[in-house]
Each structure stands twice: as structure tokens, then as C-alpha cells.
Amino acid sequence: MLPRVAKALGRPGVDLDAELERRHERSLKEWVESDERDFRHAEREAFRSLPSGLVVSVGGGFLSHHAELLRSCVTVEVPISFETYVERLSRDATRGRLRPELPLDQELREIYQEREYRHAAARPLSLIDFMLRLVRGRRPRRVVTLPPHEPIEKFAWKARHAGADLLEIRSDLHPAEIDLLAPSRAIPLLIARRTPRLPDDWRTRATLIDEPQDGLPSPSMLRSIHADRPLRTHDALALWDGVVPGSRIKHVEPLGELADFPRLLETQRALIERFGEEHVTVLATGPLAMPFRAVLAQRNALDYLALDSAWAAAPGQRLLADAVREARRAQADGRTRRLGILGGSIAHSRSPRIHQQPFDRVELPPDVALGPLLAALQPHYRGFAVTNPFKKRVAAEVLTPLSAVNTLIRNHQGWVAENSDVAGAAATLDVLAPERAFTVLGDGGVTEALRLEAKRRGLEVAVLTRATVPAVPLRGVVFWTWPPNVDVPAHLRFEGARVAIVSYGSAARAVAAEISRRGGQPVRLGPRWFIAQAREQRRLWESAT
């Protein structure tokens, strides 16, 4: 193992036991049996004398006796099961008894348990975690949950190809009879016990098992606590008092008051201090939890994500695609660069594909209290795109003279609001080139941008709501800003009109068909609008603090 790890890291490797034998020219086994105290002293001094930058292989007793020497090191444990431990010791007929007053099997079990406890207290990385860190760097392992009634093998391969690291199978969502062999070949499985027991076959297929369980830590065990209310940090820590340091843990609680989010960050920090950076996952739940979970994920061991917008295992999960893009394009300079888009029905937004990462789709309920939310997110996000139905409400919250905004930029005083849609309006008006005037259907955030650009160009603009659409056909240049699910007045007609569509994708296709049916000539300008305003947004965000 030592040569392979040293080669992977590009560093020299040293076996400490071999180095001790070379320096002192004596058998370690005889040395330990005759004077273990002297041996441990020599072992300590030999380790301290080694130059920095080496990969050092030490015996199992090193963690038990010299754990404090490893605090500044990356410590990796190659675990062995109790059965392997017994097998190795049983092969050594010359080994003396440490506790002859006990039956041999009880002696071995007690010594093994004490050894595992001391190792866990040193908080080493498991070999699996270390190898994953080499491959993926310091990021959480991405977990997606198998939905009910989903073809399991197909979903497992889909999750793997989309960038997931683990597939969670919850026992409360799936019958015990399902066969996990095929999905376990596609992607490692995290089995979550949410029923009284797990099928034996599920345990044999699991890479991790999430269940409340007493006893010593195991590399395959993930202990979880789901609080039913927001907890103060010291109350949250008290729930984990009986758990051995070095255990893998998952702490879940409701988000609570938005202004209280620093409490969860403090809970996460304290749990990491106790259990180790690679072992702790802290999750918030609730309809507004998503952006806060994204912030917590930066230090979590596991990041629970939704594979797509069709189903999420818990409120507040962000999309796997956003987490994958974050990892691919994350900045390395340590600045807070998180961006997001605020809106409703934004699962298919193209903003995350074009903007600097990380970029989160923050889906919000229509009645959200925007003021407290924006205040709570300000320390963690450098900017937001704002889309329907919040363009006008955000403008009112940040006290801008604009009646609608689509961009927020963070500065030292708070949020600054802009309307980069004006750049999109300019790009589309360049194509349509109305001579003196044009008409807009709808009076939302897009219309405000068209008004501003029309004023700059000296053009007249007529804004029609559904209640004010005339009975006569519309002519000239028209902008359609209504979404496809709006009930359009039955009498709306066009005569020789070029009708601009500022949406894109399937929504644009549906609107184009409706325009053609009513006698208009659809002009699909959504991508042009989107790209122009996105470039302006990017320029604005570069000024964020």
C-alpha cells in the first residue's frame, strides 16, 4: 500500500517499523515484548526526526500512543475487521496473553474495541475517503436518492453519468424484495434504514449504511439525527455526546429563522472540530433551505441533491447539475463568489450554464418574505439574477428608483439593484428596428426594460394588459411578454405584425404557435435577449464585493 500511495502523491515513502529496525538493528517483536516503553520512546523520536513531506507508514499502535504527533499530518487509516484481527493474532503462536484472566475471545474483543476507540479519537481519514480526495479534491460526495417506483438499475446508471458519487436507497420508500446487485455495480450505494430493520442482502450491497446505532465507529456506518426543531449549537452538540470521535455523522434540522442561519454554521464548525472534516454532514430542511444547504455543503462530507426537478427527497435540495458545475468551475482564490437565480419555476433556467460558478437555482414560494431572505443570504452570495415573479418585489425591497429589477450586486452597504434586461431590450430592438413606436403585451419586468430602452431611443411604446387588448388587430412591431400558461384574450389578433418572443425553449415554441394561429409573424428573440442581458449581468457582478 505504501509504494502505491507514495507514487500517487509523488512523494518519498518510509516504513517507520523498517526504519526503526535499520537504525537500532534489533527485532521489533522482541523489543516490544522485552521493553515496550523503550520501544514507544524510540518510535516517537524516529517519527519526529523524519523530514517533512514524506509518506510514512506506521503500525496500528502508533495512533494509540502518539496521536498528538499526527495533528499536523493527513492521517489515513487502513481499517481491518475484527475477524481479520483475530485471524492475524491467531497465526502467531508466540504471542503472549495481555489479559490471561479473560477467555481468549473476550480478551481479543476488548483489546480490539479499545484499539478502535483510540484510533477513532485520532480522527484519521478512512482509506476510501483518502482515495476519493485524491481523485475529486476537497468536495463533498454527491448523494442522490432513488425515487419511489423508479426503475432502479436505469436510475443508478443515470445518476452515475450525471456526476453522483452515491445512490441513497431508503428502506421506507422501497420494498425489501428489490435486488440491489445491478445498481451496486453502477454506483456505490448508501442504504438508509428508515424502518425497524434492513434486509441482509441490502447490507451486503452497501458502501455506507445510515442508521442510528450504538457502539464503536465503522467505516461503513453513517449515524444520523433528524431534529424536529431548530436547535441552539450547544443543544445540537449534546445530542452527539455519546458518539465516539471519528464517527461519520449526519445532523439534520429545520432551517428556522432566516437571521439565525449563523447558528447552523457554528453547529457545523463545532461538529467538524469534534468528529473530523471528512466525517460531518449538516443539513437544513424547509422550503427556503436550498441556498443555505449550498453554503453548508462547502464543508460537508456529503451533499444530498436532486437528480432532476421531477422529484426531491427533501425540501431544500438543489439540483445535481448545479453542484457538478460548481465543482468544475469553482474559483481557487478563496473569495466568496457564489451566485444564484431567484424565482419560481426555474428548474430549466439556462442562467447556471452561462454564468460564473457556483450558481444556484433558488426556487422560492410566491409568498416568500424577500427582505429577510436577502438579508440572510448577503454574507454568502455576491449576486443574484432575479426572474418572475419577483422582479418588481425585489425592486421594492432594495429601494431602487427602478420599478423592476433583474440583477442584485452585493457591496459593503448591502444590495444594489440593476436591470440588465435593458441590454436584452436593446439587442432585440436592434433586430426589429421599429421606426417610431412599438407595442408590448404584458406589464412585467421585461416591459420595464423595454420602456427604459424606448425612452433612450426616442421611441413611443404602448403597453397592453389582457384587460386593455383592443378588438382591432395589432400591426407593426409587437413584444409578447406573457408566459405560455396565461389565458390570452380570445379576441387578440394580428395583421402583418412582427411579434417578438423573449422567452426560449419549449415556452417559446408554444408562444410562437399561438402567435401564428392569431395571424402574427413570430420572431424568436429569446436567446438574443438572454445572452445580451447575461453579459451585462456578468459585468455588473464583477464589481461585487
Side-chain angles (χ1 to χ4, degrees), residues 394-405:
V394 168
E397 289 289 347
V398 298
L399 302 178
T400 175
L402 299 170
S403 65
V405 300

Side-chain angles (χ1 to χ4, degrees), residues 140 290-299 303 305 318-319 322-327 330-331 334-341 355-362 377-385 408 410 415 541 544-545:
M290 198 292 294
F292 302 98
R293 285 173 71 118
V295 173
L296 288 164
Q298 295 174 74
R299 297 197 67 192
D303 192 6
L305 304 156
R318 63 174 172 160
L319 295 180
D322 291 350
V324 171
R325 275 192 292 271
E326 173 180 343
Q331 297 297 313
R335 292 176 60 195
T336 302
R337 293 182 173 272
R338 183 161 237 100
L339 302 171
I341 178 169
H355 284 307
Q356 188 178 22
Q357 297 300 303
F359 199 101
D360 301 316
R361 283 173 263 215
V362 184
L377 294 178
Q378 184 183 334
H380 310 290
Y381 284 79
R382 71 188 307 227
F384 283 106
L408 290 175
R410 184 183 66 196
W415 293 110
W541 283 328
T545 58

Side-chain angles (χ1 to χ4, degrees), residues 145-470:
T145 303
L146 177 70
H149 315 299
E150 188 78 23
I152 183 170
E153 184 176 6
K154 180 180 178 180
F155 188 90
W157 283 107
K158 183 179 178 182
R160 173 180 170 176
H161 291 312
D165 300 308
L166 290 163
L167 176 63
E168 182 188 46
I169 313 290
R170 281 175 35 180
S171 63
D172 59 334
L173 299 180
H174 305 282
E177 296 76 25
I178 65 170
D179 186 359
L180 300 185
L181 175 60
S184 70
R185 290 172 173 169
I187 186 172
L189 302 184
L190 191 166
I191 307 298
R193 180 170 69 83
R194 299 291 181 262
T195 50
R197 64 176 301 275
L198 285 178
D200 293 337
D201 178 63
W202 286 31
R203 292 185 179 276
T204 62
R205 305 297 180 204
T207 297
L208 282 176
I209 299 178
D210 174 1
E211 60 180 337
Q213 184 172 336
D214 297 328
L216 292 167
S218 163
S220 64
M221 187 194 303
L222 172 66
R223 306 165 188 268
S224 62
I225 288 177
H226 295 252
D228 58 1
R229 57 185 174 82
L231 300 172
R232 292 177 296 180
T233 293
H234 73 270
D235 292 329
L237 295 178
L239 296 177
W240 296 99
D241 277 347
V243 178
V244 177
S247 300
R248 297 173 182 266
I249 69 163
K250 182 176 73 172
H251 179 88
V252 186
E253 62 176 79
L255 176 61
E257 296 294 328
L258 296 173
D260 239 6
F261 177 59
R263 167 189 52 80
L264 267 178
L265 291 175
E266 174 62 19
T267 297
Q268 182 188 49
R269 184 203 61 76
L271 288 172
I272 287 173
E273 187 175 305
R274 181 183 296 184
F275 294 102
E277 189 173 32
E278 297 284 339
H279 294 174
V280 172
T281 298
V282 176
L283 302 177
T285 60
L288 301 181
M290 198 292 294
F292 302 98
R293 285 173 71 118
V295 173
L296 288 164
Q298 295 174 74
R299 297 197 67 192
N300 274 344
L302 302 174
D303 192 6
Y304 286 76
L305 304 156
L307 182 60
D308 53 45
S309 60
W311 187 81
Q317 287 188 340
R318 63 174 172 160
L319 295 180
L320 172 63
D322 291 350
V324 171
R325 275 192 292 271
E326 173 180 343
R328 288 176 179 169
R329 300 175 60 185
Q331 297 297 313
D333 61 5
R335 292 176 60 195
T336 302
R337 293 182 173 272
R338 183 161 237 100
L339 302 171
I341 178 169
L342 303 174
S345 302
I346 56 174
H348 302 291
S349 169
R350 296 185 183 181
S351 292
R353 304 178 193 177
I354 197 170
H355 284 307
Q356 188 178 22
Q357 297 300 303
F359 199 101
D360 301 316
R361 283 173 263 215
V362 184
E363 189 93 22
L364 299 174
D367 58 349
V368 62
L370 282 172
L373 179 66
L374 292 174
L377 294 178
Q378 184 183 334
H380 310 290
Y381 284 79
R382 71 188 307 227
F384 283 106
V386 182
T387 189
N388 292 325
F390 301 115
K391 292 184 177 183
K392 291 188 175 183
R393 287 181 56 195
V394 168
E397 289 289 347
V398 298
L399 302 178
T400 175
L402 299 170
S403 65
V405 300
N406 77 329
T407 306
L408 290 175
I409 311 104
R410 184 183 66 196
N411 68 13
H412 294 297
Q413 285 73 46
W415 293 110
V416 176
E418 297 285 352
N419 194 338
S420 70
D421 272 332
V422 175
T428 52
L429 285 169
D430 286 345
V431 173
L432 296 169
E435 294 182 3
R436 293 184 301 274
F438 60 90
T439 302
V440 181
L441 299 176
D443 193 12
V446 168
T447 304
E448 172 66 9
L450 287 165
R451 281 195 184 101
L452 292 171
E453 183 60 17
K455 182 179 180 180
R456 190 184 71 83
R457 295 182 181 220
L459 299 174
E460 296 181 4
V461 55
V463 177
L464 300 177
T465 65
R466 285 178 289 169
T468 60
V469 169

